[in-house]
Amino acid sequence: AAGGSAQAPRQYKLAPQRELRVEVLPDGPLRVRLVAGTAEIFGTELPPEGWVPVPPRSKVAIFTWHGATVELDGVSESEYTSDETPMVIYVNTHAILDARRSRARAAAAQGGVLEASQGPRVIVVGPTDSGKSTLCKMLLSWAAKQGWKPTYVDLDIGQGSITIPGCISATPIEKPIDIVDGIPLEMPLTYFYGHPNPSINPDVYKVLMKELAQTLDKQFSGNSESRAAGMIINTMGWVEGLGYELLLNAIETFEANVVLVLGQEKLWKMLKDAVQSKPNIDVVKLHKSEGVVLRNPKYRQKNRSFRIKEYFYGIANDLAPHSNVVNFSDVSVYKIGSGHQAPRSALPIGAEPVADPTRLVAVNISTDMVHTVLAVPYAKEPDEIISSNVAGFIHVTDVDIQRKKLTYIAPCPGDLPSKLLIASSLTWYEA
Ligand code: ATP
């Protein structure tokens, strides 16, 4: 049944291993309730009682292992049931990862070699709309349900699910991912790249991956539980050319030992061949779910701006950002990496101009910055910016060149924690 106009509350009786796929409209609202049995949304169980709001614009599957009756209330864009899902394969994959975690924990308890106490470092790869983020969520929630605290690493700067787009981030997952709130945001470790596309500056993207991986390694060395629980790494859907090269780079940088390839035989074969000299990496081919919803570039662009809006206003529009004004002289804005090379005329005769892709460039505040996002790094000095993770973001709402004042919104009141700011090409226009 397809929705559109007003819909009465309706019940679906789902046989074991069936799922109800629902697309929620941009302005929702839609809610779901478990009437009988048990069911989960991407690895997180529906509570036995009460209505659960399904966030606007989301596309979800309500899956049952043992059979369930669920009730929907509200308008949807589409809803239908299916019994063709790859869920059994996915949960079997989870079981194998879980056994590896237990082995790692046992090895840590015996104080053996460090290598043995490392749990699975899983990287999920595949073309766009193959269900990578969804598989990551399931693997994380199933692991958390069993008491593990795996680390979620999101390398997808286009449709990332931890903070805003343009970032790579990591965060520990301590309980199944909340259906409404999504990935917990209390303590993400975030590095700011500033663009939704890695080809703008792939070298910076690589440097940031390295910084993130090193920081996680440090954290794991003092925490055998996180080390044993391992990581689930989500990647971009760009799997050709430079995109493929960056995937190989990510596998190496994060020392992944399990590569899950979704929905593309060719990519699986290429990766398998590429890592064949490393016997401790398993490259596994998995089916993609037919339920994964295709999203066109326009949808993706829109979604990026929603993610930025959500950062300031909350998923349910329940946060109120704070507006603030600073003098140009109170802040220094930098950009990482410039495409600009030193002009030939400025170089000694015979020298070739080289662009340092990770060079820091001071930028003047201009009206071009209005509507863009700036990141606030923890760095105290400009030369620490590239290796620094970020505390948060601000959104520029006005630049007054004459009075030399910049107006911005921030999620918290008070002064900026740092004088330093990182510029980006990420924009969001208040509707
Ligand atoms: P990208 O690389 O483009 O970021 P992806 O491979 O990570 O995409 P997902 O984000 O996991 O793909 O899935 C795309 C959309 O399909 C999401 O909105 C997700 O919630 C939805 N989806 C995934 N699986 C199902 C399913 N079985 N039924 C309904 N919707 C689903």
Side-chain angles (χ1 to χ4, degrees):
S5 54
Q7 280 168 285
R10 55 250 177 231
Q11 291 197 351
Y12 288 88
K13 206 167 156 40
L14 302 171
Q17 293 186 26
R18 274 188 92 90
E19 68 184 23
L20 170 61
R21 296 172 182 161
V22 187
E23 286 188 63
V24 189
L25 290 163
D27 42 3
L30 185 93
R31 51 185 197 157
V32 57
R33 179 169 77 98
L34 188 64
V35 177
T38 54
E40 57 184 52
I41 295 183
F42 303 146
T44 302
E45 279 186 273
L46 284 179
E49 280 174 3
W51 289 98
V52 178
V54 187
R57 293 187 311 278
S58 62
K59 301 151 199 322
V60 300
I62 302 153
F63 177 86
T64 179
W65 291 106
H66 307 291
T69 303
V70 296
E71 186 168 22
L72 291 184
D73 177 30
V75 191
S76 74
E77 200 169 328
S78 79
E79 52 193 71
Y80 68 97
T81 63
S82 172
D83 60 359
E84 276 180 46
T85 79
M87 293 294 277
V88 171
I89 309 172
Y90 292 175
V91 85
N92 286 343
T93 308
H94 158 73
I96 293 167
L97 299 177
D98 226 35
R100 291 202 185 183
R101 293 186 182 108
S102 300
R103 252 184 293 158
R105 174 146 70 190
Q110 285 162 5
V113 286
L114 206 59
E115 183 70 23
S117 64
Q118 173 62 61
R121 291 186 169 205
V122 184
I123 186 162
V124 179
V125 307
T128 48
D129 299 319
S130 54
K132 297 179 294 298
S133 318
T134 306
L135 178 60
C136 288
K137 277 187 204 163
M138 289 192 262
L139 295 175
L140 289 163
S141 289
W142 288 331
K145 190 179 163 191
Q146 279 168 293
W148 297 105
K149 293 175 182 169
T151 300
Y152 180 40
V153 178
D154 198 348
L155 303 178
D156 185 355
I157 49 181
Q159 303 286 312
S161 41
I162 299 187
T163 52
I164 66 166
C167 298
I168 62 170
S169 313
T171 191
I173 302 296
E174 308 196 335
K175 50 185 201 302
I177 296 164
D178 190 275
I179 293 167
V180 183
D181 297 336
I183 308 284
L185 289 178
E186 289 89 52
M187 274 296 285
L189 179 61
T190 298
Y191 289 84
F192 192 59
Y193 171 74
H195 316 283
N197 183 332
S199 62
I200 293 173
N201 201 334
D203 291 292
V204 170
Y205 184 73
K206 287 185 198 167
V207 169
L208 297 180
M209 283 203 288
K210 198 164 220 148
E211 292 291 341
L212 177 58
Q214 281 170 352
T215 307
L216 289 175
D217 269 338
K218 253 180 244 149
Q219 291 181 354
F220 286 165
S221 67
N223 186 338
S224 60
E225 274 298 298
S226 310
R227 206 174 141 76
M231 306 179 189
I232 305 285
I233 306 168
N234 189 18
T235 60
M236 285 177 288
W238 186 19
V239 297
E240 315 268 334
L242 176 63
Y244 175 74
E245 194 197 302
L246 292 173
L247 281 184
L248 284 180
N249 197 273
I251 292 171
E252 199 176 317
T253 305
F254 288 90
E255 292 174 35
N257 47 27
V258 179
V259 183
L260 301 179
V261 188
L262 275 172
Q264 210 194 71
E265 184 92 21
K266 181 179 145 205
L267 179 63
W268 169 74
K269 181 79 177 79
M270 278 168 74
L271 287 170
K272 208 171 162 56
D273 291 347
V275 304
Q276 63 172 349
S277 60
K278 299 177 184 129
N280 53 348
I281 307 183
D282 294 318
V283 184
V284 183
K285 181 170 53 173
L286 294 177
H287 282 290
K288 123 176 208 233
S289 167
E290 288 305 318
V292 177
V293 182
L294 301 184
R295 295 161 303 167
N296 59 30
K298 201 167 154 216
Y299 177 94
R300 285 165 190 277
Q301 168 56 38
K302 258 200 162 145
N303 205 37
R304 276 199 283 275
S305 59
F306 274 120
R307 303 270 326 172
I308 298 174
K309 179 179 179 210
E310 265 172 27
Y311 174 81
F312 294 101
Y313 287 89
I315 292 180
N317 225 345
D318 51 348
L319 303 178
H322 300 263
S323 187
N324 226 329
V325 184
V326 285
N327 297 316
F328 287 4
S329 56
D330 291 338
V331 291
S332 314
V333 187
Y334 288 90
K335 181 167 94 171
I336 305 170
S338 73
H340 305 300
Q341 305 174 345
R344 232 169 243 278
S345 57
L347 293 170
I349 292 168
E352 281 300 309
V354 277
D356 175 2
T358 61
R359 194 165 71 103
L360 205 63
V361 187
V363 290
N364 290 325
I365 297 174
S366 74
T367 49
D368 291 350
M369 269 177 206
V370 180
H371 305 301
T372 69
V373 170
L374 304 179
V376 186
Y378 281 111
K380 294 279 170 285
E381 299 297 331
D383 60 359
E384 293 166 2
I385 284 182
I386 182 116
S387 57
S388 165
N389 56 317
V390 301
F393 311 95
I394 63 173
H395 182 251
V396 182
T397 50
D398 189 47
V399 169
D400 186 334
I401 297 289
Q402 241 148 42
R403 291 169 54 234
K404 297 196 181 340
K405 282 182 192 298
L406 179 148
T407 311
Y408 65 89
I409 56 169
C412 341
D415 290 338
L416 290 171
S418 161
K419 263 177 68 76
L420 305 175
L421 295 168
I422 316 173
S424 82
S425 65
L426 302 163
T427 52
W428 166 60
Y429 297 88
E430 207 150 352

